[in-house]
Structures are given as structure tokens and as C-alpha cells.
Amino acid sequence: MRPARADSFLEQLRAVGAQRYHDKHPFHLAMHEGRLTAAQVRGWVANRYYYQKNIPVKDAAILGNLPDRDKRRVWIARILNQDGTLERGGGGLEQWFALARAVGLSDEALHSERDVQPGTRFAVDAYVTFARTQPWLPAVASSLTELFAPDLMSARIEALLAKYPWIDPKGLEYFRNRVTLAARDAESALPWVLQGANDPAEQAACLAALRFKCDVLWAILDATQAAYGIGS
Amino acid sequence: MRPARADSFLEQLRAVGAQRYHDKHPFHLAMHEGRLTAAQVRGWVANRYYYQKNIPVKDAAILGNLPDRDKRRVWIARILNQDGTLERGGGGLEQWFALARAVGLSDEALHSERDVQPGTRFAVDAYVTFARTQPWLPAVASSLTELFAPDLMSARIEALLAKYPWIDPKGLEYFRNRVTLAARDAESALPWVLQGANDPAEQAACLAALRFKCDVLWAILDATQAAYGIGS
């Protein structure tokens, strides 16, 4: 069995997103259609926080498994982008707290993790374990949901602005940044995966990793929907 | 049993260095006394390279185990210092290659790892595994050999300049940088350990971690000495 040609492998990666990316989840569709109550939006922000919080954790795990310095020099930007820096502060995690405030959640509520559902926790913890224990190639491939993220982020900003006028627009900085950052991250990770997966087994592992990551994002929404419901 | 008071705990940490830091190893004493042959210096640089190469790997592992963003913002500097950055290049690893060239080792010789002795590999791999699997507090404590490093680095620069005139002084940039960086790293890690180790068990784990790290450095010199000997 020969490896799928690069263009066909890329098509297969994109097909995973077309089938399984969480933009198709009922809770997500309802969010973008303006059908969520304030409590449901807050529930989503509080649960998604647990994912945000663990992004630098899984990225540090992958960083330590990368095969060379040149790849680390690229990957470390993800951690700096999410954590911010000692000199300048900032970072995606800080922007997520700003979003939380804009929807009426205190920093303390987020920090306490009291709204984080068990299903969210299991999914995110599985993602961290995956990053820690898998070879770097499928671990990097699991990040390729970023291929699908920029469109979703743009649509989300529009939807939140239009459908939830009670949310302070200043709180949406996280999503504004992700439009650019997700595209840049995918741009650097995609060639590693396309060139690194040289046989059918490695390509299959990368596709499975991307499906797994879609399942993680989907399960967070399942848990959120189960706890807070959809609509009034 | 009450925890040792902070000053006494610090004294215990310093005592580990006084007893076990690798500046007391016969190979090290011989290096600083100018008794090593060129082949022995090269053997040391080639073996120590395997340690250098794995510094960002163990630091990424610790980064992913740190309990919060503020600590990550501090710790990530270690990885940036060793790997350099995408924008500006540089970094300790690059400086180690410059040292290797200055003692007559090609980049290819270093990359190939053909001179890396099994004992070196076992010791360094054990250090990486320790960083990956231990809680962050003892893992950070294992880095505290940096308390003892600045003095050694200064002495090493002097000794190499005075005793090995055939080494190009430009190759010593790594050690010049470590005088400052090791002090800065220890300055940030030490308070975490002193304040984080709140009971006798945690203090004992930190002291054991520091002893373990000293053993790693010592074993690299044992393996180097066994392979290349001391003096002509």
C-alpha cells in the first residue's frame, strides 16, 4: 500500500474537519444563531476556560517531544501567545478572562473551575495526555483543527456582536487574535505533517489524531449542553 | 517532625553542592589544572553536548508540569536562552557548537553523537525522564545546581584561556553567558523551592532531586573519563 499523495492526504485532513469540527455541534449552531441564554453563554465560557488553561500545558508537552531546535523555535510561539510574557504580559489566557468578565463571570468563578463539567475535564485531560504520550507527529497533527478555526472565529465575532448585544465587545479580543494566530499556527504545522507523514501508517495516525482532537472539542460542547441546555 | 526552617533548608541545599557538585570530579579538576589532552577536551565537549541538547527537552517537560501561567512565564526563558529564537537566532546550543569548533570538533561530529558514551546517554536520559515524571517542585529543585554554576563558569573561562592556548577564545561565549544566566535562573527557582517545600517530605524530595542532578553531572564525567582517560 503506497502512502496517499500529499494533495490527497491534505484532502483527507480537511475532510475530518468537514465531518467532525465542532462548528456543526447543536450547541455551537445555537450560539451562532443567537439562541443561547446568558447562563448558557456563561456556562460555555467557563467550560471552555478549562481547555484554554491547558493549551500551554499540552503545547509544552509537544515542545519537549519535538525532534529538533528549529521546530522548537517555531512551536514555542504558541505558548508565548497563550501565556503572554513576563515583560509585556498579555496572552490568550488573559483575553479569555476578559471575555469571561464581558459575559458576567468573575475571575474567581473561572479560577475556581466550579462550573467545569466532568465531561469537559475528561476530554481536556485526555488531550493533554495525548500530547504527553504520543510521538510528535500525530501530536502536531492533532493541532490542525486550526485549519478550520479562522473562519469559525470570524463568524463567531460577527454572531456574538449581532446576537448578544449585552456582551461587551471589548471582551472579544481573544477571537480577533485567533483569526490571525490560528492561520499562522496551521501554516507552520501543516507542512511538518504533510512532509513528516511518509507512509500510510503515519498518515493514518495523523488522521486519527485530528479526529481525536475534533472529538475533544465536541465532547466539551456535549458536556456544556448537557449541563446548561439550549435556549430558554 | 517540623519542616526545617527556610535558612536551614537553604543550607542543606547548599551542602549538597559542597559535597557532590561535579567541580570536585577528578576529570574536572584535571581540566581546570590544564592536564587534559586535546582529545580529552574534545571528548568532554562531545559528551557534554548530549546534555546541552537535552536541556530544552527537560525544561519543556517541566514547563508543562508547572502549576500556573506566572511560573511558566518565568521558566520559558530557559528554553529561549538555550534554543535561541526564530527572529534573532542565537542561544546556548548554538554557542556550544561554536565551542566544539574552537576545540576542533565539526558540527557533523557533534550531530552524529558518535562520541557520546552510553554512560552519558543513560545519565542525561534519566534526567529527562525525571523532569517528565516528577512533580514540578522536585523537578525545579533539580535545577538548583545553578546555585553552584556561576563560580565554576568563571573559573572555567580563566582556566581554559590560561591552560589551553590552542582553544580559540571566541569559543568560550557559552560559559561567559552562563555566568549571568545561571545566576538569574537560580534566583527565580530558589524562592519557588524554599516557599514551595512546606513539609519535611517535600524538602527531602527537593534535596534528593538536587543530589540526583549532581549524580547526573558526575556520571557524565565518569563516562568521559572512562572513555578518554586523564592526561597523556
Side-chain angles (χ1 to χ4, degrees):
Chain A
M1 198 174 145
R2 287 178 309 164
R5 283 187 313 145
D7 57 344
S8 143
F9 179 37
L10 176 55
E11 277 161 33
Q12 288 175 289
L13 289 165
R14 289 199 182 280
V16 172
Q19 285 156 18
R20 289 171 176 252
Y21 191 50
H22 63 165
D23 58 346
K24 284 163 284 292
H25 192 285
F27 192 87
H28 228 295
L29 294 172
M31 185 193 304
H32 284 211
E33 288 162 9
R35 291 192 283 119
L36 295 188
T37 65
Q40 288 158 356
V41 170
R42 281 196 277 274
W44 175 73
V45 170
N47 273 268
R48 176 88 187 179
Y49 163 70
Y50 190 70
Y51 175 77
Q52 296 298 337
K53 178 191 147 167
N54 279 287
I55 286 178
V57 177
K58 68 93 186 164
D59 278 326
I62 296 174
L63 187 71
N65 288 330
L66 285 175
D68 58 56
R69 183 201 65 180
D70 292 349
K71 284 196 169 61
R72 286 196 302 266
R73 280 185 178 174
V74 173
W75 197 265
I76 203 165
R78 293 168 181 257
I79 303 173
L80 295 166
N81 288 336
Q82 183 72 349
D83 274 343
T85 65
L86 205 57
E87 295 76 21
R88 291 186 304 278
L93 212 46
E94 201 154 288
Q95 288 161 352
W96 198 263
F97 276 90
L99 170 68
R101 273 174 243 128
V103 302
L105 276 169
S106 69
D107 288 13
E108 188 275 325
L110 232 57
H111 273 303
S112 74
E113 298 178 15
R114 62 177 166 253
D115 299 320
V116 177
Q117 300 302 311
T120 297
R121 203 171 284 275
F122 297 148
V124 173
D125 290 353
Y127 187 34
V128 170
T129 300
F130 187 90
R132 283 190 172 139
T133 56
Q134 290 292 306
W136 70 269
L137 188 62
V140 166
S142 75
S143 77
L144 289 179
T145 45
E146 283 151 359
L147 287 170
F148 326 125
D151 289 349
L152 182 62
M153 292 300 115
S154 302
R156 191 179 286 162
I157 295 166
E158 261 183 71
L160 292 176
L161 283 173
K163 310 284 173 62
Y164 303 88
W166 56 272
I167 301 179
D168 184 342
K170 284 202 302 268
L172 305 182
E173 209 52 39
Y174 178 84
F175 304 120
R176 290 195 190 93
N177 270 299
R178 286 307 295 166
V179 175
T180 320
L181 290 178
R184 195 187 304 163
D185 287 346
E187 215 172 281
S188 60
L190 183 60
W192 296 0
V193 172
L194 294 181
Q195 287 152 31
N198 282 313
D199 61 45
E202 283 181 326
Q203 294 189 348
C206 289
L207 287 162
L210 188 53
R211 278 192 291 268
F212 162 80
K213 168 66 178 300
C214 286
D215 291 347
V216 168
L217 298 173
W218 196 275
I220 295 170
L221 294 181
D222 278 352
T224 305
Q225 179 177 340
Y228 304 94
I230 292 182
S232 46
Chain B
M1 199 173 147
R2 286 178 309 162
R5 283 187 315 143
D7 57 345
S8 142
F9 180 39
L10 176 56
E11 277 161 33
Q12 289 175 289
L13 289 165
R14 289 198 181 280
V16 172
Q19 285 156 17
R20 290 171 176 251
Y21 192 51
H22 64 165
D23 58 347
K24 285 162 284 292
H25 191 285
F27 191 87
H28 227 295
L29 294 172
M31 185 194 302
H32 283 210
E33 288 162 9
R35 293 192 283 119
L36 296 188
T37 65
Q40 287 158 357
V41 171
R42 283 196 276 275
W44 175 73
V45 170
N47 274 268
R48 176 88 187 179
Y49 164 70
Y50 190 69
Y51 175 77
Q52 296 298 336
K53 178 191 146 165
N54 278 288
I55 287 178
V57 176
K58 69 94 185 162
D59 279 325
I62 295 173
L63 187 72
N65 288 331
L66 286 175
D68 58 57
R69 184 202 64 180
D70 292 347
K71 285 195 168 61
R72 286 197 301 268
R73 280 184 178 175
V74 173
W75 198 264
I76 203 165
R78 293 169 181 256
I79 304 173
L80 295 166
N81 288 336
Q82 184 71 348
D83 274 343
T85 63
L86 204 58
E87 296 75 24
R88 291 185 304 278
L93 211 47
E94 201 154 288
Q95 288 161 353
W96 198 263
F97 276 90
L99 171 67
R101 273 174 242 128
V103 303
L105 276 170
S106 69
D107 288 13
E108 187 275 327
L110 232 58
H111 273 303
S112 74
E113 298 178 17
R114 62 178 165 251
D115 299 320
V116 177
Q117 301 300 312
T120 298
R121 201 172 287 275
F122 297 148
V124 173
D125 291 353
Y127 187 34
V128 171
T129 300
F130 187 90
R132 283 190 173 139
T133 56
Q134 291 292 307
W136 71 269
L137 189 63
V140 167
S142 75
S143 77
L144 289 179
T145 44
E146 282 150 359
L147 288 171
F148 325 125
D151 289 347
L152 182 61
M153 293 300 116
S154 303
R156 190 178 286 161
I157 295 166
E158 261 184 70
L160 291 177
L161 283 174
K163 310 285 174 62
Y164 304 87
W166 56 272
I167 301 178
D168 184 343
K170 284 203 299 269
L172 305 181
E173 209 51 39
Y174 178 84
F175 304 120
R176 289 196 191 92
N177 269 299
R178 285 307 296 165
V179 175
T180 320
L181 289 179
R184 194 186 307 162
D185 286 347
E187 212 170 284
S188 60
L190 184 60
W192 297 359
V193 172
L194 293 181
Q195 287 152 31
N198 281 314
D199 61 46
E202 283 181 326
Q203 293 189 347
C206 289
L207 288 162
L210 188 53
R211 279 193 291 268
F212 162 80
K213 169 66 177 301
C214 286
D215 292 347
V216 168
L217 297 174
W218 196 276
I220 295 170
L221 294 181
D222 279 351
T224 306
Q225 180 176 339
Y228 303 94
I230 292 181
S232 47

